[in-house]
Amino acid sequence: MPGVVGTDVTDAVGTEDTRLIVVRGNSASGKSSVAARLRETFGRNLAIVGQDNLRRTVLREHDRPGAANIGLIDLTARYALENGFHVVLEGILYADRYGTMLQELVRAHRGVSRCYYLDVPFAETVLRHATKHDAAYLRQVTEEHLRDWYRERDLLPGALETVIDAAATLDDTVQRILRESGLDGVLPIDR
């Protein structure tokens, strides 16, 4: 089954009850919207570990191979899982830069792990980008940037991910992830 990997107890993280959900895709594919809607639908006790937040805001770092944000993303997800939070890890997370970290995190997680790739064609990426509400971001990030960042079907090796295409609605995607991860049968903890 895509997205489910066994663990090695020497570096195991989380519990059998925690859920790790990885949502990857190109810019403007809907990753942040999916993560936000998952939390809104599920409730408390679900941590969102966002690549953009940790890389751009916390570290103010460029996305380069071997950059510090890769380790920070891993540590943040592991910390949340170890403290009993379910985790949605979302970002572009290029396979060649983040793939090893993601594979090791999924392998180490004791609970259910599910990985998804939002597969949105470039033309749709441009249309979705134009609907963002942050005017400053829209002025800063142009279609040329989107073209430079775009990687068609940048999948992780080993058939780790379930591909969700652009025809899937936000609600359909969220309900699918809740169902396949088992979060639809877990009660949130009011922390």
Side-chain angles (χ1 to χ4, degrees):
M1 177 185 295
V4 179
V5 176
T7 62
D8 175 354
V9 295
T10 59
D11 65 349
V13 64
T15 70
E16 291 180 7
D17 296 326
T18 55
R19 304 298 197 266
L20 170 63
I21 299 164
V22 178
V23 182
R24 300 175 56 251
N26 283 298
S27 184
S29 61
K31 304 170 303 294
S32 297
S33 296
V34 167
R37 183 71 62 86
L38 282 166
R39 176 186 272 162
E40 178 184 306
T41 304
F42 179 76
R44 292 186 177 274
N45 202 46
L46 187 140
I48 296 175
V49 178
Q51 176 191 14
D52 282 351
N53 182 55
L54 293 174
R55 183 185 65 79
R56 290 187 345 207
T57 305
V58 174
L59 296 179
R60 198 168 183 216
E61 178 179 62
H62 293 290
D63 193 359
R64 295 192 173 116
N69 81 94
I70 299 168
L72 183 58
I73 290 167
D74 183 52
L75 286 170
T76 304
R78 287 173 185 267
Y79 184 86
L81 289 165
E82 274 300 300
N83 284 279
F85 287 86
H86 306 293
V87 170
V88 177
L89 195 167
E90 66 87 10
I92 294 174
L93 301 163
Y94 292 132
D96 62 342
R97 296 178 192 175
Y98 298 85
T100 299
M101 178 270 291
L102 292 170
Q103 289 173 303
E104 290 174 2
L105 178 61
V106 167
R107 180 189 48 75
H109 182 230
R110 287 182 182 105
V112 174
S113 296
R114 297 290 298 162
C115 299
Y116 297 90
Y117 184 83
L118 305 183
D119 188 21
V120 176
F122 181 71
E124 179 68 17
T125 295
V126 173
L127 293 174
R128 290 182 182 192
H129 175 73
T131 67
K132 293 192 179 204
H133 298 291
D134 184 344
Y137 182 77
L138 288 172
R139 284 191 303 275
Q140 180 184 4
V141 177
T142 66
E143 184 173 333
E144 278 306 307
H145 290 109
L146 296 175
R147 189 178 318 284
D148 287 344
W149 299 337
Y150 190 84
R151 293 187 184 182
E152 189 168 340
R153 289 184 71 99
D154 183 38
L155 300 175
L156 295 173
L160 190 62
E161 295 168 295
T162 298
V163 176
I164 299 176
D165 67 31
T169 67
L170 177 59
D171 287 335
D172 290 342
T173 300
V174 168
Q175 290 307 312
R176 178 179 185 172
I177 293 171
L178 288 169
R179 184 180 64 256
E180 291 178 357
S181 69
L183 272 177
D184 62 349
V186 175
L187 294 175
I189 298 170
D190 191 10
R191 292 180 179 247

